[in-house]
């Protein structure tokens, strides 16, 4: 069972543009570099594929297509890994041999949990529990993903029409295809703490409304309402409650009309 890290980056001229010593990576690594040229560079256990396409989902899909590891870890170029991360991942897949996807935890550079409300209990994901997952928490069996033809939805994610929740939609599609997704409450990856919370703007709320329809169908309207109520204290200095709800429903109905 060999592990490979699939990392997304942008605007790099060569592999050495990244400070690899600080990342504590011991696995082979595939780097997808969205830049202004096409090419391939190999240095030791690092392969960099450069291309001129844009969008996080396109980057992840290209990584999946070119991956070779048995177990793949999704990564961004601003993360590093905790000592023993490979053994943690391997042990989890040994404990859950039927798991196709296992999500872990993120630790901040200050040594604290990245999210204050990580569940304590490990176990199988549901269509609700995946809503709190982040992309860099996700690992998967490459064969399971390839065999099901699973890809990230190109309409979602940074650089796409709808800029959020590409990773959640990926997990939802995996569950819908019958894949087993497991959560293990152990951190494997390190990321700087979030600075000032969510940057609420029209594009974000519109995109969330669309993503909720992609995830829940027409029930998305109820999720738009629940989100607008729950997050009011976070966005109230930018939008009124009704403006937030209106933007989300606009995104929901826009996506529904297109599909």
């Amino acid at each position: 069972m060999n592990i490979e890290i699939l990392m997304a980056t942008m605007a790099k001229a060569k592999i050495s543009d990244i400070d690899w010593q600080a990342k504590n990576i011991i696995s082979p690594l595939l780097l997808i570099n969205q830049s202004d040229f096409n090419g391939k560079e190999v240095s030791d256990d690092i392969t960099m594929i450069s291309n001129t396409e844009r969008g996080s989902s396109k980057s992840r899909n290209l990584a999946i297509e070119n991956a070779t590891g048995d177990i793949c870890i999704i990564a961004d170029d601003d993360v590093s890994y905790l000592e023993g991360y490979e053994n943690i991942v391997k042990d989890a897949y040994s404990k859950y041999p039927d798991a196709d996807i296992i999500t872990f935890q993120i630790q901040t550079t200050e040594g604290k949990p990245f999210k204050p409300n990580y569940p304590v209990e490990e176990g199988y994901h549901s269509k609700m529990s995946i809503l709190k997952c982040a992309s860099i928490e996700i690992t998967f069996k490459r064969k399971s993903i390839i065999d099901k033809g699973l890809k990230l939805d190109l309409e979602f994610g940074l650089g796409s029409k709808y800029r959020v929740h590409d990773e959640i939609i990926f997990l939802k599609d995996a569950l819908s295809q019958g894949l087993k997704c497991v959560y293990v409450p152990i951190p494997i990856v390190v990321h700087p703490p979030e600075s000032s919370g969510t940057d609420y703007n029209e594009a974000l709320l519109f995109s969330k409304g669309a993503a909720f329809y992609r995830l829940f169908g027409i029930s998305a309207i109820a999720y738009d309402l629940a989100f607008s109520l729950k997050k009011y204290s976070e966005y109230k200095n930018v939008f009124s409650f009704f403006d937030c709800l209106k933007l989300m429903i606009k995104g929901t109905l826009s996506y529904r009309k297109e599909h």
Side-chain angles (χ1 to χ4, degrees), residues 27-63:
S27 316
L29 185 139
L30 175 61
L31 184 66
I32 303 298
N33 176 40
Q34 293 189 332
S35 192
D36 57 358
F37 66 97
N38 294 300
K40 183 176 181 179
E41 180 188 355
V42 179
S43 176
D44 297 323
D45 274 344
I46 302 172
T47 298
M48 182 171 81
I49 297 176
S50 299
N51 67 87
T52 55
E53 292 189 319
R54 294 292 181 268
S56 60
S57 292
K58 286 186 177 180
S59 177
R60 305 289 193 210
N61 285 341
L62 186 60

Side-chain angles (χ1 to χ4, degrees), residues 70-198:
D70 299 319
I71 306 296
C72 297
I73 300 176
I74 294 180
D76 291 324
D77 62 4
D78 58 350
V79 306
S80 59
Y81 285 85
L82 289 164
E83 199 74 34
Y85 73 91
E86 270 207 340
N87 288 333
I88 293 169
V89 173
K90 288 179 180 179
D91 288 348
Y93 278 94
S94 295
K95 184 175 181 180
Y96 293 95
D98 64 336
D100 302 291
I101 295 171
I102 300 181
T103 70
F104 294 87
Q105 293 182 354
I106 308 166
Q107 182 174 293
T108 70
T109 46
E110 299 166 352
K112 299 176 182 178
F114 186 75
K115 302 172 189 173
N117 56 347
Y118 272 123
V120 177
E121 299 294 324
E122 69 179 58
Y124 290 87
H125 272 298
S126 67
K127 289 187 177 180
M128 294 305 296
S129 67
I130 61 170
L131 298 179
K132 295 183 178 180
C133 290
S135 59
I136 59 172
E137 296 169 350
I138 298 170
T139 71
F140 60 85
K141 288 178 180 172
R142 182 178 57 86
K143 187 177 186 305
S144 298
I145 301 305
I146 297 295
D147 286 351
K148 291 291 186 181
L150 272 178
K151 295 184 177 182
L152 282 92
D153 190 327
L154 295 180
E155 288 194 283
F156 293 88
L158 291 174
S160 302
K161 181 174 182 179
Y162 307 110
R163 52 176 283 194
V164 296
H165 298 331
D166 48 321
E167 69 274 51
I168 295 172
I169 290 167
F170 175 76
L171 293 176
K172 186 259 184 184
D173 289 348
L175 288 175
S176 297
Q177 292 264 22
L179 297 187
K180 302 290 186 186
C181 302
V182 169
Y183 163 69
V184 172
I186 303 174
I188 61 168
V189 63
V190 179
H191 188 281
E194 287 182 320
S195 52
S196 57
T198 303

Side-chain angles (χ1 to χ4, degrees), residues 204-206 208-210 212 223-225 227-228 243-253:
L204 174 72
L205 296 172
F206 181 83
K208 276 188 173 290
F212 284 169
Y223 286 90
D224 294 341
L225 177 60
F227 181 91
S228 300
D243 284 341
C244 173
L245 182 59
K246 187 165 70 172
L247 281 165
M248 294 191 72
I249 291 176
K250 184 179 178 182
T252 295
L253 296 179

